[in-house]
Amino acid sequence: MKPKQIIKIIVDAAMTVLLLLLMTYERIGGAVHEWLGISVFVLFVLHHILNIKWTRSLFRGGYSAFRILQTTLAVLVLAAMLGLIISGIILSRHVFTFLDIRSGMSFARSLHMLSAYWGFVLISVHLGLHWSVFIGLAKRMVKLKNNTLKWIARAVVLAISGYGIFAFIKREIGSYMLLKSQFVFFNFEEPLILFLLDYIAIMGLFAAVGHYLSVLTKRTDKHNRMRYDISDCTKI
């Protein structure tokens, strides 16, 4: 594997871990939350620098179903990240207090909640689009027959996704995404590890959604290419 590819994986893995920690909000303290948020934004910028070729090619070539899905997700994630950093600066009580911002708190609070929960879901789906990279790594690390590994992976994904649905409902993520609730409830007596495991399961659920959307759109693209090839042959 090329060094650049290794760096990409490290950056994405670090961003994923920090994103999970950010969802704990006050469980880790306001100051830590803000510094982690800045770290995620820096990693996000680095992620785009490392993938600058993809960004430059946005207005080149045609758009397949998969490319439309990938680009739409990337734009939505970008919007969520911008919403987070802007609202985070306004709401800051530690890192950006020197800016002395006193207005727009109510709007910033709503924007931060929307950006945080939609961003979490969208980034999870985005991870799923590139799950084939991790599947390839697993095949190299675990020397099992393809069919055996495939069925083990499917069973694990099914179990995680099933619990992810339960955790999504239990943690009331939908109500936060729709702003039905203006405040996030935290049980400070609950062990932090249980909270994180629930969010890992939710991330796994939406990563699975992203993976199967990727499979579906790629199959659609393959079918369309075959149809066009047959059409060209009949014309000849």
Tab-separated table of all heavy atoms in Angstrom, residues 6 9 40 58 61 82 90 97 107-108 116 128 138-139 146 158 164 215 220 225:
chain	number	residue	atom	x	y	z
A	6	ILE	N	-1.942	5.100	3.099
A	6	ILE	CA	-1.861	4.821	4.538
A	6	ILE	C	-2.228	6.076	5.331
A	6	ILE	O	-2.964	6.011	6.327
A	6	ILE	CB	-0.446	4.344	4.919
A	6	ILE	CG1	-0.157	2.992	4.267
A	6	ILE	CG2	-0.297	4.240	6.437
A	6	ILE	CD1	1.271	2.514	4.424
A	9	ILE	N	-5.964	6.641	5.331
A	9	ILE	CA	-6.666	5.735	6.248
A	9	ILE	C	-6.500	6.211	7.685
A	9	ILE	O	-7.457	6.210	8.481
A	9	ILE	CB	-6.144	4.294	6.094
A	9	ILE	CG1	-6.547	3.739	4.720
A	9	ILE	CG2	-6.684	3.393	7.198
A	9	ILE	CD1	-5.936	2.401	4.385
A	40	VAL	N	-11.174	17.850	14.551
A	40	VAL	CA	-11.932	17.190	13.490
A	40	VAL	C	-11.981	18.070	12.248
A	40	VAL	O	-11.824	17.581	11.115
A	40	VAL	CB	-13.367	16.848	13.964
A	40	VAL	CG1	-14.251	16.461	12.776
A	40	VAL	CG2	-13.332	15.713	14.967
A	58	LEU	N	-14.499	17.378	-10.262
A	58	LEU	CA	-15.940	17.499	-10.066
A	58	LEU	C	-16.690	17.945	-11.318
A	58	LEU	O	-17.821	17.515	-11.559
A	58	LEU	CB	-16.237	18.482	-8.921
A	58	LEU	CG	-16.133	17.912	-7.497
A	58	LEU	CD1	-16.310	19.026	-6.466
A	58	LEU	CD2	-17.167	16.815	-7.281
A	61	GLY	N	-16.133	15.120	-16.973
A	61	GLY	CA	-16.720	13.809	-17.223
A	61	GLY	C	-18.202	13.738	-16.893
A	61	GLY	O	-18.808	14.683	-16.386
A	82	LEU	N	-19.342	22.905	7.889
A	82	LEU	CA	-19.339	24.373	7.941
A	82	LEU	C	-20.327	24.870	9.000
A	82	LEU	O	-20.032	25.819	9.749
A	82	LEU	CB	-19.692	24.955	6.574
A	82	LEU	CG	-18.636	24.765	5.473
A	82	LEU	CD1	-19.160	25.277	4.135
A	82	LEU	CD2	-17.333	25.482	5.847
A	90	ILE	N	-19.588	30.530	17.506
A	90	ILE	CA	-20.544	31.415	18.176
A	90	ILE	C	-20.843	30.947	19.595
A	90	ILE	O	-20.935	31.753	20.535
A	90	ILE	CB	-21.859	31.497	17.361
A	90	ILE	CG1	-21.593	32.143	15.996
A	90	ILE	CG2	-22.932	32.274	18.123
A	90	ILE	CD1	-22.783	32.092	15.055
A	97	THR	N	-13.560	32.549	23.043
A	97	THR	CA	-14.176	33.593	23.876
A	97	THR	C	-13.601	34.977	23.575
A	97	THR	O	-14.264	35.990	23.802
A	97	THR	CB	-13.960	33.283	25.364
A	97	THR	OG1	-12.566	33.009	25.596
A	97	THR	CG2	-14.777	32.076	25.797
A	107	PHE	N	-30.005	30.691	17.446
A	107	PHE	CA	-29.835	30.162	16.088
A	107	PHE	C	-28.646	29.211	16.027
A	107	PHE	O	-28.719	28.138	15.428
A	107	PHE	CB	-29.632	31.321	15.107
A	107	PHE	CG	-29.186	30.873	13.742
A	107	PHE	CD1	-30.084	30.294	12.851
A	107	PHE	CD2	-27.856	31.013	13.347
A	107	PHE	CE1	-29.672	29.869	11.592
A	107	PHE	CE2	-27.441	30.585	12.091
A	107	PHE	CZ	-28.352	30.017	11.219
A	108	ALA	N	-27.542	29.607	16.658
A	108	ALA	CA	-26.321	28.794	16.633
A	108	ALA	C	-26.541	27.452	17.326
A	108	ALA	O	-26.033	26.421	16.876
A	108	ALA	CB	-25.177	29.546	17.302
A	116	ALA	N	-24.591	18.626	13.836
A	116	ALA	CA	-23.936	17.527	14.553
A	116	ALA	C	-24.575	16.185	14.232
A	116	ALA	O	-23.882	15.223	13.859
A	116	ALA	CB	-23.983	17.781	16.059
A	128	GLY	N	-19.478	4.228	4.578
A	128	GLY	CA	-19.976	2.995	3.976
A	128	GLY	C	-19.737	2.910	2.484
A	128	GLY	O	-19.568	1.819	1.940
A	138	ALA	N	-9.272	-6.429	5.387
A	138	ALA	CA	-9.652	-7.587	6.197
A	138	ALA	C	-9.270	-8.891	5.508
A	138	ALA	O	-8.817	-9.842	6.150
A	138	ALA	CB	-11.154	-7.555	6.471
A	139	LYS	N	-9.434	-8.939	4.182
A	139	LYS	CA	-9.087	-10.150	3.427
A	139	LYS	C	-7.592	-10.437	3.506
A	139	LYS	O	-7.172	-11.591	3.516
A	139	LYS	CB	-9.523	-9.995	1.976
A	139	LYS	CG	-11.020	-10.127	1.761
A	139	LYS	CD	-11.379	-9.969	0.292
A	139	LYS	CE	-12.877	-10.138	0.076
A	139	LYS	NZ	-13.249	-9.951	-1.344
A	146	ASN	N	-13.012	-16.704	0.659
A	146	ASN	CA	-13.892	-15.571	0.370
A	146	ASN	C	-15.323	-15.782	0.861
A	146	ASN	O	-15.920	-14.888	1.455
A	146	ASN	CB	-13.902	-15.275	-1.132
A	146	ASN	CG	-12.619	-14.599	-1.571
A	146	ASN	OD1	-11.880	-14.065	-0.745
A	146	ASN	ND2	-12.353	-14.637	-2.866
A	158	LEU	N	-25.227	-7.511	10.103
A	158	LEU	CA	-26.643	-7.666	10.458
A	158	LEU	C	-26.854	-7.437	11.952
A	158	LEU	O	-27.798	-6.739	12.359
A	158	LEU	CB	-27.128	-9.057	10.060
A	158	LEU	CG	-28.613	-9.350	10.312
A	158	LEU	CD1	-29.483	-8.406	9.487
A	158	LEU	CD2	-28.935	-10.803	9.979
A	164	GLY	N	-28.085	-1.198	16.034
A	164	GLY	CA	-28.010	0.218	15.675
A	164	GLY	C	-29.384	0.854	15.562
A	164	GLY	O	-29.584	2.004	15.973
A	215	VAL	N	-23.306	-0.444	-3.535
A	215	VAL	CA	-23.475	-1.667	-4.329
A	215	VAL	C	-24.613	-1.502	-5.336
A	215	VAL	O	-24.481	-1.853	-6.514
A	215	VAL	CB	-23.759	-2.875	-3.408
A	215	VAL	CG1	-24.148	-4.104	-4.233
A	215	VAL	CG2	-22.536	-3.189	-2.545
A	220	THR	N	-26.424	-0.524	-10.905
A	220	THR	CA	-27.233	0.256	-11.844
A	220	THR	C	-26.364	0.801	-12.969
A	220	THR	O	-26.731	0.739	-14.150
A	220	THR	CB	-27.923	1.425	-11.115
A	220	THR	OG1	-28.765	0.912	-10.072
A	220	THR	CG2	-28.769	2.252	-12.079
A	225	ARG	N	-24.406	0.532	-18.569
A	225	ARG	CA	-23.308	0.397	-19.533
A	225	ARG	C	-23.555	-0.773	-20.474
A	225	ARG	O	-23.321	-0.679	-21.679
A	225	ARG	CB	-21.977	0.219	-18.797
A	225	ARG	CG	-21.416	1.508	-18.206
A	225	ARG	CD	-19.961	1.350	-17.832
A	225	ARG	NE	-19.762	0.329	-16.818
A	225	ARG	CZ	-19.783	0.559	-15.503
A	225	ARG	NH1	-20.017	1.783	-15.059
A	225	ARG	NH2	-19.564	-0.407	-14.652
